[in-house]
């Protein structure tokens, strides 16, 4: 089980990214638009730098929903590999079976 502080930090990052998502997308579009003047693009880049660092969605880490483990997390299930294995063997995940050949 991951520390509660680490899980809370990730939750804070998720909320902050959601709060600034519209502004972030708008500034990224302006900064990447070649039809705009260089001044406008530079202003957009400066405004992006002034946003909180944790508002950037790439700073979020995928974690297991149950244990909070940061590594070995499957996006499809939102769980860590160990929990997927446990739940698959016990039959809690529909359609997932043990492979045998």
């Amino acid at each position: 089980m991951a520390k509660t502080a680490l899980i809370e930090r990730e939750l804070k990052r998720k909320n902050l990214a959601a709060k600034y998502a519209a502004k972030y997308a708008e500034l990224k579009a302006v900064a990447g638009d070649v039809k705009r003047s260089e001044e406008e693009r530079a202003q957009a880049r400066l405004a992006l730098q002034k946003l909180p660092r944790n508002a950037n969605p790439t700073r979020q880490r995928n974690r297991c929903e149950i244990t909070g483990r940061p590594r070995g997390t499957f996006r499809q299930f939102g769980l860590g590999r160990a929990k997927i294995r446990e739940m698959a063997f016990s039959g809690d995940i529909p359609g997932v079976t043990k492979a045998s050949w």
Side-chain angles (χ1 to χ4, degrees):
M1 189 75 181
K3 287 185 177 180
T4 309
L6 296 177
I7 295 170
E8 290 298 319
R9 184 189 305 159
E10 288 299 322
L11 186 62
K12 184 178 174 183
R13 283 181 179 155
K14 184 178 179 181
N15 292 336
L16 201 59
K19 179 181 175 183
Y20 286 99
K23 188 171 188 177
Y24 188 84
E26 178 186 332
L27 289 172
K28 285 288 278 186
V30 171
D33 189 6
V34 292
K35 294 178 182 176
R36 304 267 181 139
S37 69
E38 276 300 317
E39 271 187 33
E40 285 178 315
R41 295 174 70 194
Q43 290 296 324
R45 285 193 296 271
L46 284 174
L48 270 172
Q49 289 177 0
K50 289 181 181 177
L51 290 178
R53 195 172 269 189
N54 286 333
N56 191 338
T58 58
R59 289 180 62 92
Q60 294 176 20
R61 181 84 172 153
N62 292 334
R63 289 186 174 269
C64 176
E65 291 292 326
I66 298 172
T67 62
R69 180 182 164 84
R71 307 224 174 173
T73 305
F74 287 69
R75 290 181 186 172
Q76 183 178 2
F77 303 108
L79 300 172
R81 57 180 175 75
K83 282 295 167 185
I84 289 176
R85 180 181 163 89
E86 285 177 18
M87 293 175 79
F89 285 161
S90 63
D92 294 337
I93 304 175
V96 177
T97 57
K98 185 175 186 289
S100 60
W101 58 91

